[in-house]
Amino acid sequence: MITLAEGLRLPTNGLDYTILAIYFVVVLGIGFAAKRSVKTSLDFFLSGRSLPAWVTGLAFVAANLGATEILGMAANGAQYGAYTVHWYWIGAIPAMVFLGLVMMPFYYGSKVRSVPEFLLHRFGPSSHLLSSVIFAVSSVLIAGVNLYAMAIVLQALLGWPQWVAIVVAAAFVLAYITIGGLSSAIYNEVLQFFVILAALIPLTIVGLKRVGGWDGLTDSLNSSHGDAFLTAWKGTGIGEANPLGANWLTIVLGLGFVMSFGYWTTNFAEVQRALSAKNLSAAKRTPLIAAFPKIFIPLVVVVPGLIALVMEPTLGKSKDGLQYNDAIPVLMRDLLPNGVLGIAVTGLLAAFMAGMAANVSSFNTVFTNDIWAAYLKKGREDRYYLKTGRVVTAVGVLIGMGTAFIASSFSNIMNYLQTLFSFFNVPLFVVFIIGMFWKRTSAAAGFWGLLSGTVAAMINYFWLYKQGIIAIPSEQGANFVSSIVAFVVGALVMVLVTLVTKPKPVESLAGLVYGSRSPGMEELPAEGDDAWYRKPALLGWGAIVLAAVCYIPFSF
């Protein structure tokens, strides 16, 4: 999954380890501080729905900015060039805006505790249980990736044995989530966001200076990889070849619509941050606030991958040498002095912990509320479910420590994660989008649409692509196609099943379908929420316009 070269050992000293130790102390301190506010299961799982929009917004983007994204997107930058920006400007921003403007009123207004619980109200227990199991499985798979990836990185960079790195990181994540619940995870994610930037910004600035600035970087890459390598759209015509192995249609539909909307609008690890906001206005603004830093993340993730390719031209050229996943560690080793190196290592560790914590905290919520309390132990007192949530957190961490070995056959982290998203998130999105905009959609259609979409994506990937029945140039291209297949098959099945089954009564769909409202949606704005700069529509369209403008330098 991650292969780091033997020569990447970092020259860390006591100062670097002191910075790392201070970070661990602060993380636990935040956990103990958050413990005082945890008195009910709602406090533990959703922070009592009490957090301001700026906190949930930064946590929203930090939960996604795990080290798998940092290492993986830097690897994509080195391997695919400027094509990687599609994952941000078309593969994230429009979907985040759609979540804030269109879907959060339904999620928050219906007062659900999780994404699967929304399906319970809209489609019934069959879809609810299936989606809960699917999400629980995907959560521990992704949490395990973060943990195992971190262990390998720390072994290569610092010389820590893998089992030490796994135990240390897992213990700290387990401690601060078990003690302080979601509030602890969110406030630590806000801290981790700034620590990650403090690590990546100096790395990018010093790296650019080393390769002769932006002009020096572009001149080097144009001469070695051709002028299309630093453009986002050149060579993406249907039938044309490009490093990404995808054309504009699969990029726009597969990544920009199906996979992106499937991830950002149904992934509870993200939506949970918005559900913890103090009111509906703050919940809507959470992904919109997060969209603005997300737009600029490529500057400190993708650009370092390009810099590493110039500094180490052999990157990814042979199995025995430096791999694309080595891009960020190579820059850390070659560019950063002690002290700053400690901050960089801490930032990398913070990123791993943020990614793992986001998935563990969402796993404990879904398993406790949507599986245990809904089907196995109904009607217990609230204290029982609070205790169960803490136990499930420990179980989730332990399972996560073992699941990452499933991904050992993947040479690029993002290939593995995008494969999981095409399997699990895209079918969920199909069910949500059709059920939310078509009142006639029946309960049976939700279940069979979700199941058929998941199975179709797996068949396309494991049989048609892996067995060579259809030729797709790259793993990422295969993921885009799997996403499209999952969406089309799930949608067709839902339409067909709906036409031959009985729909739910219209009066039971209040607040669950477009054009209807629930009492929670009538919430008046809090003081100051009606200020012009807090208008969700302004924030949302502003983010989309800014993302479109960012494409201009990479389009010619």
Side-chain angles (χ1 to χ4, degrees):
M1 184 184 61
I2 299 177
T3 305
L4 295 182
E6 289 296 326
L8 283 178
R9 187 65 53 82
L10 299 180
T12 50
N13 62 17
L15 176 60
D16 301 313
Y17 281 106
T18 300
I19 293 172
L20 194 59
I22 292 172
Y23 170 73
F24 278 129
V25 171
V26 173
V27 162
L28 288 181
I30 291 174
F32 280 105
K35 182 182 180 181
R36 292 177 296 179
S37 63
V38 179
K39 295 180 173 60
T40 68
S41 61
L42 184 65
D43 295 332
F44 185 79
F45 295 121
L46 286 179
S47 302
R49 289 196 170 99
S50 62
L51 301 180
W54 73 270
V55 170
T56 54
L58 290 180
F60 189 98
V61 70
N64 179 252
L65 193 59
T68 48
E69 161 140 348
I70 292 174
L71 294 182
M73 284 303 177
N76 277 358
Q79 184 173 0
Y80 304 129
Y83 295 102
T84 308
V85 300
H86 291 308
W87 270 272
Y88 295 88
W89 299 335
I90 199 173
I93 303 306
M96 293 168 73
V97 171
F98 184 82
L99 172 63
L101 296 183
V102 178
M103 297 189 71
M104 280 316 302
F106 293 96
Y107 282 141
Y108 199 90
S110 59
K111 299 301 180 185
V112 297
R113 291 191 175 197
S114 68
V115 169
E117 189 179 342
F118 184 87
L119 291 183
L120 173 64
H121 297 316
R122 177 60 182 91
F123 293 107
S126 297
S127 298
H128 174 236
L129 181 58
L130 178 60
S131 64
S132 299
V133 171
I134 287 175
F135 186 79
V137 171
S138 64
S139 294
V140 293
L141 284 172
I142 298 172
V145 174
N146 278 279
L147 188 59
Y148 187 60
M150 184 215 63
I152 296 177
V153 169
L154 292 184
Q155 181 186 39
L157 301 186
L158 303 179
W160 293 12
Q162 283 188 29
W163 71 268
V164 172
I166 287 176
V167 170
V168 169
F172 274 91
V173 171
L174 176 61
Y176 73 72
I177 295 180
T178 304
I179 292 169
L182 184 64
S183 293
S184 176
I186 285 179
Y187 280 113
N188 267 303
E189 283 161 2
V190 173
L191 169 67
Q192 287 158 351
F193 175 75
F194 290 107
V195 172
I196 292 167
L197 291 184
L200 294 178
I201 290 174
L203 198 65
T204 306
I205 294 173
V206 175
L208 279 174
K209 186 176 181 180
R210 178 68 65 88
V211 297
W214 182 254
D215 290 339
L217 178 66
T218 55
D219 290 343
S220 297
L221 291 177
N222 285 339
S223 62
S224 61
H225 289 74
D227 58 359
F229 194 70
L230 290 179
T231 64
W233 296 106
K234 187 175 290 187
T236 60
I238 296 177
E240 293 186 70
N242 61 71
L244 189 58
N247 57 53
W248 68 267
L249 186 63
T250 54
I251 291 172
V252 173
L253 291 182
L255 174 62
F257 176 58
V258 178
M259 186 176 286
S260 170
F261 278 66
Y263 175 79
W264 290 103
T265 64
T266 67
N267 183 18
F268 186 50
E270 301 293 338
V271 176
Q272 188 180 25
R273 274 72 194 145
L275 288 178
S276 66
K278 64 182 180 180
N279 55 32
L280 177 57
S281 174
K284 292 168 67 175
R285 283 184 280 123
T286 293
L288 305 179
I289 291 172
F292 287 91
K294 185 70 175 177
I295 290 172
F296 297 104
I297 293 298
L299 296 178
V300 293
V301 174
V302 180
V303 172
L306 300 174
I307 294 170
L309 194 60
V310 172
M311 293 182 58
E312 296 284 351
T314 61
L315 208 64
K317 299 300 182 185
S318 67
K319 292 184 178 180
D320 298 329
L322 293 169
Q323 301 301 304
Y324 292 119
N325 286 322
D326 295 326
I328 292 290
V330 161
L331 297 185
M332 291 169 59
R333 179 198 66 186
D334 294 345
L335 299 177
L336 299 182
N338 292 112
V340 179
L341 183 60
I343 295 174
V345 172
T346 303
L348 202 58
L349 187 60
F352 278 118
M353 293 172 67
M356 182 184 180
N359 285 281
V360 169
S361 61
S362 57
F363 168 77
N364 66 27
T365 302
V366 168
F367 187 90
T368 303
N369 291 325
D370 296 291
I371 298 177
W372 192 260
Y375 299 101
L376 300 176
K377 297 291 182 180
K378 298 181 180 180
R380 298 295 183 91
E381 61 181 8
D382 187 74
R383 184 181 300 176
Y384 171 82
Y385 296 119
L386 175 59
K387 182 179 179 180
T388 301
R390 289 194 162 108
V391 173
V392 169
T393 300
V395 172
V397 170
L398 292 175
I399 295 175
M401 293 169 68
T403 57
F405 295 96
I406 298 172
S408 60
S409 61
F410 288 79
S411 61
N412 184 313
I413 310 167
M414 292 309 297
N415 289 344
Y416 171 65
L417 293 178
Q418 298 291 327
T419 301
L420 292 180
F421 298 153
S422 69
F423 290 171
F424 300 131
N425 292 95
V426 171
L428 266 176
F429 175 63
V430 178
V431 174
F432 266 88
I433 204 69
I434 294 180
M436 193 173 285
F437 287 93
W438 190 23
K439 293 181 181 180
R440 176 73 173 79
T441 312
S442 65
F447 175 82
W448 290 110
L450 178 58
L451 183 61
S452 62
T454 302
V455 172
M458 291 181 175
I459 289 175
N460 178 78
Y461 183 82
F462 289 116
W463 183 44
L464 298 179
Y465 168 63
K466 283 294 188 180
Q467 300 302 318
I469 296 175
I470 58 174
I472 303 177
S474 70
E475 198 91 41
Q476 291 290 7
N479 291 331
F480 297 163
V481 174
S482 294
S483 298
I484 295 173
V485 169
F487 186 88
V488 172
V489 171
L492 288 175
V493 169
M494 287 189 72
V495 171
L496 293 175
V497 173
T498 293
L499 295 178
V500 297
T501 53
K502 185 179 180 180
K504 293 186 70 174
V506 174
E507 56 270 17
S508 68
L509 300 178
L512 301 174
V513 296
Y514 196 76
S516 68
R517 302 186 71 83
S518 69
M521 292 184 180
E522 302 294 342
E523 179 181 308
L524 295 175
E527 184 179 355
D529 282 351
D530 55 353
W532 67 269
Y533 55 87
R534 291 183 177 177
K535 297 288 185 182
L538 177 64
L539 291 172
W541 286 107
I544 288 178
V545 170
L546 184 57
V549 169
C550 287
Y551 262 119
I552 295 175
F554 297 95
S555 298
F556 304 101

